[in-house]
Structure formats: C-alpha cells, structure tokens
Amino acid sequence: MIMTARMKNPATFLPQAAELLMALGKIGADFGVDEATLELTHLRVSQINGCAWCLEFGRHNARTSGLTDSQLIQLAGWADATIFSDAQRAALALAEHMTRMADRSNAVPDAIWDEAARHYGEKELAGLVVWIATTNLYNRINVTTRQIPGTW
C-alpha cells in the first residue's frame, strides 16, 4: 500500500502553531542537554510512536550530532546495548516512560526520574522533559495526518 498524506502538515495552515512548534524544538539544546542525547531520545520516541517522518528527519540530524551507525542500529534495543552512556540510558528510559504513559499506573516511577536526575540538573531535566513531550507532539501530528517521510 502506498501511503498518501491526508493533508498538508497542519502547521502550514496555522503560522502561530508553526512558530511555537519550532521554538519548542529548540528548547532541549537551550537547556544544556547534548545534541546526541536529544537525537537519541527523539529517534526512540519516534520508533515507539511509529512516526516514519520523524525517523527520517531524525536520521539526518543524528549524523550531525555525532551518533554512530552502531548507536542508530542498536537504539531499538538500547536497554541491552552497551554502547550508550549512563546519562543517555537515563534519558532514554525517561523518554520511554513519558511516551508510554498509558501502559502503567505509575507512568514515570521515582526510580526512572531519580536516575535521570543523577545525570541532569533541574534546568537540563526541564529541557529534556519538554523535548520529549515535543517529540511526542510532532509524532502525533505527523502520524495522524500521514506525513510522508522526506517531505520537508
């Protein structure tokens, strides 16, 4: 089945939304989280949500952030992989729990939060939380409207 977009990206119809989405997309780096970690969390959340558009877009950004082919290939199995730093692993765990909130009654357990807080200060955590939430927002827009990968 060849997928076709249901509509143009909604942000093209709502200039204020486009501005806000772009501003949100810059927040993580503004709060001191390294680009590679941001890209890892973006890609992992997009894998979970099945957002092909964001995965293709993230692939381009992953290269400029310094991620290796091995990291990209092993990302889906990050919990068992040994090539991610402890800080990256904490960010990925936080990203998965924030994305899969409906899967458990205690969406983000204290142990997940505390591990992230061991590696990131409050300002960095704030940026990371907003980055992950923004990725989920982008995923939901793109999946719902069937945005075609590579169309930006």
Side-chain angles (χ1 to χ4, degrees):
M1 176 172 108
I2 297 174
M3 188 171 83
T4 58
R6 289 180 167 151
M7 65 181 296
K8 289 182 184 179
N9 189 303
T12 63
F13 298 103
L14 307 166
Q16 303 89 340
E19 289 176 30
L20 292 170
L21 287 167
M22 290 174 70
L24 282 171
K26 295 177 183 175
I27 282 183
D30 289 345
F31 282 80
V33 180
D34 69 277
E35 190 178 349
T37 299
L38 293 176
E39 291 309 324
L40 285 171
T41 57
H42 169 82
L43 288 166
R44 185 61 189 133
V45 168
S46 298
Q47 286 175 339
I48 293 166
N49 289 326
C51 184
W53 192 99
C54 288
L55 288 167
E56 177 65 16
F57 187 78
R59 181 182 66 83
H60 290 282
N61 292 339
R63 296 286 181 226
T64 62
S65 73
L67 293 174
T68 66
D69 286 342
S70 292
Q71 288 173 309
L72 295 176
I73 291 166
Q74 293 182 47
L75 181 57
W78 70 267
D80 295 322
T82 59
I83 61 172
F84 300 104
S85 71
D86 289 344
Q88 289 170 332
R89 296 171 65 73
L92 287 164
L94 180 62
E96 286 203 6
H97 279 78
M98 285 180 63
T99 301
R100 294 182 164 149
M101 291 182 130
D103 291 354
R104 57 186 69 80
S105 61
N106 184 10
V108 181
D110 288 341
I112 297 298
W113 181 263
D114 292 346
E115 183 61 16
R118 268 186 357 96
H119 299 282
Y120 302 99
E122 277 195 342
K123 184 178 175 185
E124 294 165 315
L125 273 173
L128 195 54
V129 165
V130 171
W131 174 266
I132 294 164
T134 301
T135 298
N136 274 287
L137 173 60
Y138 271 102
N139 291 168
R140 281 153 176 74
I141 291 170
N142 292 331
V143 170
T144 300
T145 60
R146 292 187 181 156
Q147 297 302 299
I148 307 300
T151 58
W152 48 77

